[in-house]
Amino acid sequence: SQQGEEDPQALSIQEGENATMNCSYKTSINNLQWYRQNSGRGLVHLILIRSNEREKHSGRLRVTLDTSKKSSSLLITASRAADTASYFCATVINFGNEKLTFGTGTRLTIIP
Amino acid sequence: EPEVTQTPSHQVTQMGQEVILRCVPISNHLYFYWYRQILGQKVEFLVSFYNNEISEKSEIFDDQFSVERPDGSNFTLKIRSTKLEDSAMYFCASSAGTGVTDTQYFGPGTRLTVL
C-alpha cells in the first residue's frame, strides 16, 4: 500500500452541499497537508495540520487528523462551482525525510 | 502575493535531447524542490535542495538528472538525455523553512513532452 490514499476517487455533488474527502496513510507523520489542483494546472496549498493537532479550519475548509487511525478528512462546506478540482493529501514524515508524499487524489465535481 | 514561477510552460523535445527547466522560487525561501506528475498519476518527489546542495533525492532522480542554483534567484532541473517516460508535468516548489516546519509553495508547472 502507498502512503496517502484518498477516498473516494471521485465525488460529484450539487452546489451548496458539503463535500468530504478522506485520506489514509501508513507511516507516522510530522504533518499532513491538503492541496488543490485545477485541471492541468499547479498545486495550490490549502491547509497544513500537524501531528499534535486534531482539527483545523480555514474559511469553508475543515480538516481533521486522527493519528491513531492514520487518517485525515477534508470538509468543504457550502460548495461552489469553483471548488471543482482534484484534491490531494500529502504527508511529511520528519526531519531528514521532509519531502511531500502525495496521495492519489479525489476528483471533486460541483454541479451547478 | 509572492509566487513561484516556472518557464517554459510547455517544452517539446526529441528523445535523447537535453532539457533545462527553470524556476524562480519565492525570494526569501531557502528550500527548493522538484516534483513531477505523469499524466493521470500522483505527484512524485524528485529532489530537494538546500544551502547549495541536494538534501534528499528519490530513486527517480538518477544520473540523468541534475539541479543547480546558478544565481540568487533561479533554480534549474536538467535532464541530460530525455526518454519517452520523462514526459510529465514538472513542478518546482519552495519553502521558507524545512518541509517539517513550513509549507511548500508550488509553481504552475512545466509540461514536458518527449517525442
Side-chain angles (χ1 to χ4, degrees), chain A residues 58-105:
Chain A
S58 176
R60 295 183 295 113
L61 306 180
R62 173 178 168 251
V63 168
T64 62
L65 180 65
D66 187 335
T67 52
S68 66
K69 294 181 180 177
K70 292 187 170 58
S71 67
S72 173
S73 68
L74 170 68
L75 169 67
I76 304 174
T77 60
S79 62
R80 305 168 183 169
D83 295 329
T84 294
S86 291
Y87 291 81
F88 296 90
C89 68
T91 55
V92 174
I93 293 177
N94 217 329
F95 290 101
N97 192 348
E98 296 158 16
K99 62 183 179 289
L100 286 167
T101 301
F102 281 83
T104 49

Side-chain angles (χ1 to χ4, degrees), chain B:
Chain B
E1 186 174 330
E3 292 180 334
V4 176
T5 59
Q6 292 184 242
T7 55
S9 57
H10 192 186
Q11 172 104 36
V12 180
T13 190
Q14 295 290 326
M15 189 170 56
Q17 294 296 304
E18 174 183 288
V19 295
I20 298 176
L21 309 182
R22 291 183 166 79
C23 168
V24 179
I26 294 173
S27 64
N28 62 343
H29 284 186
L30 301 175
Y31 293 78
F32 314 112
Y33 312 84
W34 283 102
Y35 292 82
R36 79 173 186 189
Q37 184 181 33
I38 294 171
L39 187 64
Q41 298 186 24
K42 59 170 68 177
V43 177
E44 301 173 291
F45 168 77
L46 292 178
V47 65
S48 59
F49 191 85
Y50 169 70
N51 200 24
N52 283 318
E53 59 182 31
I54 290 173
S55 48
E56 199 175 349
K57 63 181 181 179
S58 73
E59 292 177 352
I60 302 168
F61 194 87
D62 62 21
D63 292 343
Q64 292 300 311
F65 291 87
S66 62
V67 289
E68 191 178 30
R69 189 153 161 82
D71 52 43
S73 59
N74 291 284
F75 180 51
T76 62
L77 173 69
K78 181 194 290 186
I79 309 175
R80 288 190 184 80
S81 178
T82 50
K83 304 170 189 166
L84 295 176
E85 55 264 36
D86 294 327
S87 294
M89 183 76 93
Y90 288 80
F91 294 106
C92 173
S94 70
S95 60
T98 76
V100 170
T101 58
D102 287 295
T103 298
Q104 294 179 33
Y105 294 92
F106 282 73
T110 292
R111 181 168 297 283
L112 176 65
T113 302
V114 182
L115 303 176

Side-chain angles (χ1 to χ4, degrees), chain A residues 1 15 19 21 25 34 44 53 59-61 67 73 82 88 93:
Chain A
S1 295
E15 192 168 19
M21 289 159 271
Y25 55 92
W34 286 90
V44 175
E53 298 175 309
R60 295 183 295 113
L61 306 180
T67 52
S73 68
F88 296 90
I93 293 177

